[in-house]
């Protein structure tokens, strides 16, 4: 049975909400407690009174993702004479609406990337190059990929959470021709023995960027962040791509209060 992207997104959201909140002690009202960070949007930490300067809810919030990585292939392909390696940049905005007026503390609140079940496109530029063929006569190839990969996510507030009440999990979602949508794919070396296969080659270029998303394995509560406009932090990544070893890797996100640029 083939599941739709929307159904997969819904299932993942429910599972992750249970991870964050333990599927227990949910508030029965539609309010939740803010807290933690500094800046606009923070409520009181205990008495149910909003802090001065708190914004009116539901506001628009979003995260700007900026993830860069460089890597080499695992095994002999990553060494001489093949030296197969690559790089990527992944950028884009993941919007989250704050749907509760949380002046009153209730413990837990979960907020899904909007709209739930919709794939949010992020922009990816990726390149890979190296020598392909037999050791004594391999030929250079250089692939350049531009396109989109898709994201969703869960933002949660947990008043009892340490080191902070706010956490976020970013998810890779299906879309386009798999988990990506190809805008362009080129190969620039004239002696390259490989042909571009639109169904296969993009995966090798795009897959390493899956490490930009949050490591939610083993019941992870996601990445803590401060509920403050302009707060930049490093995402807790899942750094275990199947076929590559990172030589540099920096997955960052910046939280914003306001509507995401279109």
């Amino acid at each position: 049975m083939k599941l739709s992207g929307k159904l997969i997104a819904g299932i993942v959201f429910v599972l992750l909400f249970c991870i964050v909140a333990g599927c227990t002690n949910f508030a029965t009202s539609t309010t939740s407690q803010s807290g933690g960070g500094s800046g606009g949007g923070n409520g009181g930490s205990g008495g149910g009174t909003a802090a001065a300067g708190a914004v009116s809810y539901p506001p628009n919030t979003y995260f700007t993702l900026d993830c860069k990585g460089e890597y080499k292939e695992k095994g002999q392909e990553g060494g001489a004479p093949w030296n197969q390696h690559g790089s990527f940049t992944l950028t884009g905005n993941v919007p989250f609406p704050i749907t509760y007026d949380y002046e009153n503390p209730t413990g837990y609140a979960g907020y899904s990337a909007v709209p739930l079940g919709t794939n949010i496109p992020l922009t990816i530029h990726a390149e890979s190059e190296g020598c392909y063929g037999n050791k004594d006569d391999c030929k250079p190839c250089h692939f350049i990929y531009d396109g989109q990969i898709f994201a969703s996510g869960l933002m949660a507030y947990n008043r009892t959470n340490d080191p902070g009440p706010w956490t976020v999990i970013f998810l890779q979602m299906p879309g386009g021709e798999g988990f990506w949508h190809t805008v362009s794919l080129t190969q620039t070396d004239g002696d390259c023995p490989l042909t571009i296969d639109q169904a296969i080659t993009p995966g090798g270029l795009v897959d390493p960027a899956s490490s930009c998303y949050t490591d939610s394995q083993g019941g992870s509560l996601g990445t803590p962040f401060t509920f403050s406009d302009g707060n930049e932090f490093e995402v807790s990544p899942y750094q275990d791509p199947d076929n590559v070893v990172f030589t540099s890797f920096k997955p960052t996100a910046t939280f914003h209060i306001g509507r995401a640029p279109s």
Side-chain angles (χ1 to χ4, degrees):
M1 180 176 67
K2 185 176 181 181
L3 299 178
S4 69
K6 289 186 177 181
L7 181 56
I8 293 172
I11 292 171
V12 170
F13 171 73
V14 171
L15 291 175
L16 288 176
F17 193 95
C18 287
I19 289 172
V20 173
C23 284
T24 62
N25 238 3
F26 290 139
T28 56
S29 67
T30 58
T31 61
S32 178
Q33 161 73 4
S34 74
S38 60
N42 294 320
S45 60
T49 302
V55 300
S56 299
Y57 290 89
N60 293 299
T61 71
Y62 65 97
F63 294 86
T64 297
L65 300 187
D66 184 4
C67 183
K68 299 178 177 66
E70 297 180 357
Y71 59 86
K72 66 176 183 177
E73 295 290 328
K74 287 183 179 178
Q76 68 177 14
E77 287 81 7
W82 298 279
N83 297 319
Q84 294 173 17
H85 61 283
S87 63
F88 63 84
T89 59
L90 176 68
T91 58
N93 298 312
V94 182
F96 284 82
I98 303 297
T99 52
Y100 303 141
D101 177 8
Y102 50 78
E103 293 182 359
N104 299 307
T106 55
Y108 296 108
Y111 310 93
S112 66
V114 61
L116 179 61
T118 297
N119 298 326
I120 300 164
L122 305 179
T123 299
I124 183 170
H125 173 84
E127 299 190 37
S128 70
E129 56 187 315
C131 203
Y132 291 81
N134 296 324
K135 182 176 182 178
D136 296 331
D137 61 353
C138 65
K139 303 295 183 182
C141 296
H142 181 199
F143 293 96
I144 302 173
Y145 179 87
D146 286 285
Q148 297 172 327
I149 57 178
F150 300 91
S152 187
L154 172 70
M155 181 170 67
Y157 175 82
N158 179 353
R159 183 162 54 94
T160 64
N161 201 32
D162 183 26
W166 287 99
T167 56
V168 63
I169 294 174
F170 298 110
L171 304 169
Q172 180 172 262
M173 301 301 294
E177 299 96 61
F179 286 91
W180 61 81
H181 167 66
T182 299
V183 175
S184 66
L185 173 61
T186 58
Q187 195 291 123
T188 63
D189 282 308
D191 292 334
C192 178
L194 302 180
T195 59
I196 292 177
D197 186 336
Q198 291 282 346
I200 298 174
T201 305
L205 287 146
V206 170
D207 285 347
S210 63
S211 292
C212 296
Y213 297 98
T214 313
D215 179 7
S216 57
Q217 309 295 314
S220 168
L221 296 178
T223 301
F225 72 95
T226 301
F227 197 99
S228 176
D229 189 35
N231 170 236
E232 181 178 320
F233 58 96
E234 188 165 323
V235 176
S236 304
Y238 182 61
Q239 294 187 48
D240 190 22
D242 289 337
N243 299 313
V244 304
V245 176
F246 283 116
T247 54
S248 68
F249 183 57
K250 188 174 182 181
T252 60
T254 304
F255 176 73
H256 298 280
I257 297 173
R259 186 178 297 277
S262 57

